[in-house]
Amino acid sequence: MKSAQAWRGGMKDMQILPAPRHRAHLKKPTWIIVLVSLVSMFLVCAYVYPPHNSAACYVFSSHGCKGLSNWLPPAPARELTDDEIASRVVIKDILNTPRTVSKSPKIAFLFLTPGPLPFERLWDKFFQGNEGRFSVYVHASKDKPLHFSRYFINREIRSDKVVWGKISMVDAERRLLSNALQDPDNHHFVLLSESCIPLRNFDFVYNYLMYTNVSFVDSFEDPGPHGSGRYSEHMLPEVEKKDFRKGAQWFTMKRQHAVIIMADSLYYTKFRDYCKPGMDGKNCYSDEHYLPTFFHMLDPAGIANWSVTHVDWSEGKWHPKSYRARDVTYELIKNITSITESIHVTSDERKEIQIRQCLWNGNEKPCYLFARKFLPDTLDKLLHLFPNYTRI
């Protein structure tokens, strides 16, 4: 008994060592850490150094640059310059001013031509019986035209030399607008060339333009060499590359939009100085970029983003298709006037086709009221077809 107690006492004095623990060997998830690190670096680089061409954009996203911008964090807002603040205050005030409707609102038709107007007799038919609902202004940059219609006599404004692709083209447009704005009854403004013809009767055109809630200014994003490839960083900070747009110059616009063009000097100056042939080794044409970019930046919801003047670029050349007498048929006009979608094609290697439904105050409507490039030899056929095709 005593020996058993002594054994227990001895056990108390002994140091009891814990049994060794067997831990399972844990593998570090090295491959996960490496993968997460690479993806993080990839995203940081994409944010800090965004891709500058459409091909690089498709590496990041199957939807191109637009898809990439949707999931990248928004860039911090840039602080506006003093000139930008002053310009935007004036433009915003003009756009927010309630429109005054005169008792006899008119459409101003602005003809930009180097000389004679080969379709003056056709326009005479178009205007007949609608006196008091329109006005005519002619900018003849080379030769003073000899007129056959009473609607065009003494309607020339002071004109200056116009060189294709240079700012003088925009200057001529502004000169036409400033003259037409002197008449407070002019509520809508249509820019036309000497090769333009009307596709509808006057009532259709008048109602289409006077009762719309937008201006028909063509504007789209082209990431290719003939779009944003023409951009110059000299336009910074006021005009950024992401806002640079392209479009046909043949607009129709509301009076408020015509006024803000006259009020603008900041953005006009940027395009005058840095969007011209040979700039930075590239050919930039201000008449294709100034107004599309200007309205995209300052009133994007106020424009339709397509022109109501049809032109056919299907031949894929530097200039659109020209129509000769043999091309002019009732079916041709009918086909043009039945188009309800506006199509743009980018100039990058993908040749992306951008299709926009033509909506008039939210409702689908035919896109086009006018068409160009018709050659002078088409006049007789057009005069013969005019009473029929304008009833389409």
Side-chain angles (χ1 to χ4, degrees):
M1 187 69 176
K2 287 183 179 180
S3 62
Q5 290 177 350
W7 183 80
R8 292 192 192 98
M11 287 296 290
K12 290 180 181 178
D13 297 333
M14 290 178 63
Q15 185 177 7
I16 301 174
L17 298 175
R21 297 180 183 177
H22 298 281
R23 295 184 181 179
H25 182 67
L26 298 178
K27 289 186 178 180
K28 293 183 179 180
T30 307
W31 68 274
I32 296 178
I33 295 173
V34 172
L35 180 61
V36 171
S37 300
L38 288 174
V39 171
S40 300
M41 290 177 62
F42 196 65
L43 291 174
V44 169
C45 290
Y47 180 62
V48 177
Y49 305 104
H52 294 285
N53 61 63
S54 58
C57 288
Y58 285 96
V59 172
F60 292 87
S61 169
S62 61
H63 298 289
C65 294
K66 290 182 180 178
L68 177 65
S69 63
N70 289 337
W71 53 269
L72 282 179
R78 177 179 63 82
E79 185 177 2
L80 299 180
T81 64
D82 290 344
D83 288 341
E84 281 179 289
I85 293 172
S87 177
R88 293 189 181 213
V89 165
V90 172
I91 289 171
K92 184 178 180 180
D93 193 56
I94 293 170
L95 293 176
N96 289 339
T97 301
R99 188 178 68 169
T100 302
V101 180
S102 65
K103 293 182 179 178
S104 53
K106 296 186 292 186
I107 296 177
F109 290 84
L110 318 176
F111 289 87
L112 180 57
T113 176
L117 291 166
F119 297 105
E120 190 170 312
R121 288 167 58 198
L122 183 65
W123 285 104
D124 184 88
K125 275 196 169 189
F126 173 77
F127 290 135
Q128 279 179 17
N130 294 285
E131 292 76 5
R133 303 172 73 195
F134 70 92
S135 52
V136 171
Y137 300 84
V138 179
H139 185 291
S141 59
K142 290 183 180 179
D143 304 312
K144 183 176 180 178
L146 178 65
H147 296 298
F148 301 95
S149 167
R150 60 192 175 105
Y151 303 122
F152 288 84
I153 294 174
N154 297 325
R155 299 309 301 167
E156 292 92 355
I157 66 168
R158 187 192 68 78
S159 305
D160 207 345
K161 183 180 179 182
V162 173
V163 179
W164 181 84
K166 295 192 175 182
I167 196 65
S168 57
M169 185 74 77
V170 175
D171 292 339
E173 295 172 8
R174 288 164 61 100
R175 197 172 294 120
L176 281 162
L177 284 172
S178 62
N179 276 269
L181 282 167
Q182 292 182 79
D183 184 346
D185 288 336
N186 286 334
H187 283 211
H188 209 96
F189 304 80
V190 180
L191 182 67
L192 300 160
S193 75
E194 77 282 359
S195 70
C196 287
I197 66 165
L199 295 173
R200 302 282 188 171
N201 61 48
F202 186 90
D203 281 337
F204 188 100
V205 171
Y206 187 89
N207 292 332
Y208 196 109
L209 297 180
M210 294 299 286
Y211 301 112
T212 184
N213 53 19
V214 296
S215 292
F216 293 97
V217 177
D218 193 26
S219 179
F220 75 105
E221 185 176 6
D222 179 2
H226 302 152
S228 58
R230 296 171 174 173
Y231 172 80
S232 170
E233 290 188 352
H234 292 293
M235 292 186 176
L236 290 170
E238 291 85 359
V239 181
E240 299 180 60
K241 189 173 184 178
K242 67 180 178 63
D243 294 319
F244 198 72
R245 293 295 184 271
K246 180 182 179 179
Q249 72 181 102
W250 310 105
F251 60 74
T252 81
M253 65 177 58
K254 302 182 297 183
R255 186 176 182 91
Q256 286 173 310
H257 281 160
V259 172
I260 66 172
I261 291 173
M262 292 295 97
D264 173 51
S265 63
L266 174 63
Y267 300 100
Y268 165 80
T269 302
K270 290 287 182 177
F271 281 85
R272 181 196 65 194
D273 295 343
Y274 305 119
C275 181
K276 52 189 176 183
M279 186 70 203
D280 295 336
K282 297 173 286 190
N283 290 324
C284 185
Y285 307 114
S286 50
D287 57 283
E288 294 183 5
H289 298 286
Y290 166 53
L291 291 184
T293 303
F294 178 77
F295 282 107
H296 169 74
M297 293 177 62
L298 298 168
D299 192 20
I303 61 172
N305 294 299
W306 90 85
S307 170
V308 292
T309 300
H310 176 267
V311 67
D312 184 355
W313 287 97
S314 63
E315 293 180 342
K317 299 179 180 178
W318 280 101
H319 295 284
K321 175 182 173 64
S322 294
Y323 295 102
R324 308 198 69 90
R326 63 176 178 267
D327 302 316
V328 176
T329 62
Y330 176 84
E331 287 70 27
L332 170 68
I333 306 298
K334 185 178 179 180
N335 288 338
I336 295 175
T337 54
S338 65
I339 296 172
T340 58
E341 292 178 336
S342 171
I343 298 177
H344 293 110
V345 181
T346 62
S347 61
D348 59 353
E349 63 276 5
R350 290 179 61 86
K351 302 295 181 186
E352 179 188 355
I353 299 174
Q354 301 177 8
I355 300 176
R356 177 185 296 272
Q357 187 179 20
C358 295
L359 298 178
W360 184 88
N361 295 349
N363 300 311
E364 183 182 288
K365 285 272 189 176
C367 298
Y368 301 114
L369 305 177
F370 314 102
R372 61 186 300 266
K373 302 268 285 186
F374 284 78
L375 297 177
D377 68 351
T378 62
L379 176 61
D380 290 338
K381 271 198 169 183
L382 289 167
L383 285 171
H384 176 72
L385 291 171
F386 182 79
N388 293 320
Y389 78 70
T390 53
R391 286 200 295 265
I392 296 174

